[in-house]
Amino acid sequence: YLVQFLASRGYGILQPQFRGSTGYGETLKLAGKQQWGLAMQNDITDGTKWLVQQNLADSARIAIVGTSGYGGYAALMGAIKEPTLYRCAAAFSPITDLELLRDTREHYLFNDDNMPGSDTDVALLKTYSPAYNADKIGVPILLVHGRKDFTVPVDHTEEMSKSLSLAGKAFEVLYLKQS
């Protein structure tokens, strides 16, 4: 619904089927195994840069937006890994701490082979966790999360908000009471 809403307001949208996506064959799905913040993120970056190279997007007016779990995570990681590509980022119900995700994954309603495995080194998890990399963000951030979200606990947005504040970054957070 968000893609259609933004498109109806005149925004151009890139919604890639990054590696790890389901419904496009086993090869694409397996290519994303444990690739959060890595190859999966690079797919989004590559698609965005291609749009600019083809003159289909204005490099001075690109935002990255993502919703729920991975989408929100990818929006934040895009702002971290590509500090000059995006002008702002909006993350709705994002996962921001991969260690917290790994340690609580049995409570999630989704099963994602792309998530970090239980044997993943804690230092590596922190390297690819937005909450531990807020200092690398150079664009304004919008965080939106429902207080009653049952897919991604609100703890993730609360942690990211604290990290952004401690890093002195420009951000706004909106907590929804009913969702």
Side-chain angles (χ1 to χ4, degrees):
Y1 68 91
L2 185 57
V3 170
Q4 289 81 10
F5 173 77
L6 292 172
S8 75
R9 298 318 190 256
Y11 291 95
I13 308 292
L14 168 66
Q15 188 177 22
Q17 295 305 319
F18 47 82
R19 66 191 76 219
S21 295
T22 58
Y24 297 92
E26 201 65 15
T27 302
L28 184 66
K29 180 183 171 196
L30 291 175
K33 189 161 180 69
Q34 296 185 359
Q35 291 297 304
W36 280 45
L38 300 164
M40 289 170 64
Q41 192 69 43
N42 295 344
D43 291 343
I44 298 166
T45 300
D46 291 346
T48 304
K49 288 180 177 181
W50 182 86
L51 287 172
V52 172
Q53 291 168 350
Q54 300 300 311
N55 293 317
L56 297 171
D58 180 351
S59 64
R61 300 175 60 196
I62 297 174
I64 186 167
V65 179
T67 61
S68 197
Y70 180 73
Y73 167 86
L76 293 171
M77 282 306 294
I80 290 165
K81 290 186 78 170
E82 298 293 334
T84 61
L85 184 58
Y86 306 104
R87 299 300 162 250
C88 63
F92 295 72
S93 302
I95 289 172
T96 65
D97 182 338
L98 295 181
E99 183 180 14
L100 178 61
L101 170 67
R102 181 196 65 186
D103 294 346
T104 60
R105 71 189 294 164
E106 70 274 2
H107 299 293
Y108 286 83
L109 294 177
F110 56 88
N111 181 19
D112 189 343
D113 290 334
N114 305 320
M115 292 191 292
S118 59
D119 60 344
T120 305
D121 179 83
V122 171
L124 188 63
L125 292 174
K126 289 183 178 181
T127 298
Y128 295 103
S129 292
Y132 290 96
N133 292 281
D135 60 315
K136 295 179 177 119
I137 293 174
V139 296
I141 301 292
L142 172 64
L143 299 170
V144 180
H145 211 123
R147 288 278 185 201
K148 297 178 184 177
D149 190 322
F150 58 87
T151 305
V152 178
V154 73
D155 301 359
H156 284 271
T157 290
E158 290 170 343
E159 185 176 345
M160 189 69 201
S161 177
K162 287 177 191 169
S163 296
L164 289 165
S165 183
L166 287 172
K169 300 301 176 175
F171 76 100
E172 191 169 327
V173 63
L174 174 64
Y175 291 106
L176 307 173
K177 294 178 183 178
Q178 300 302 318
S179 56

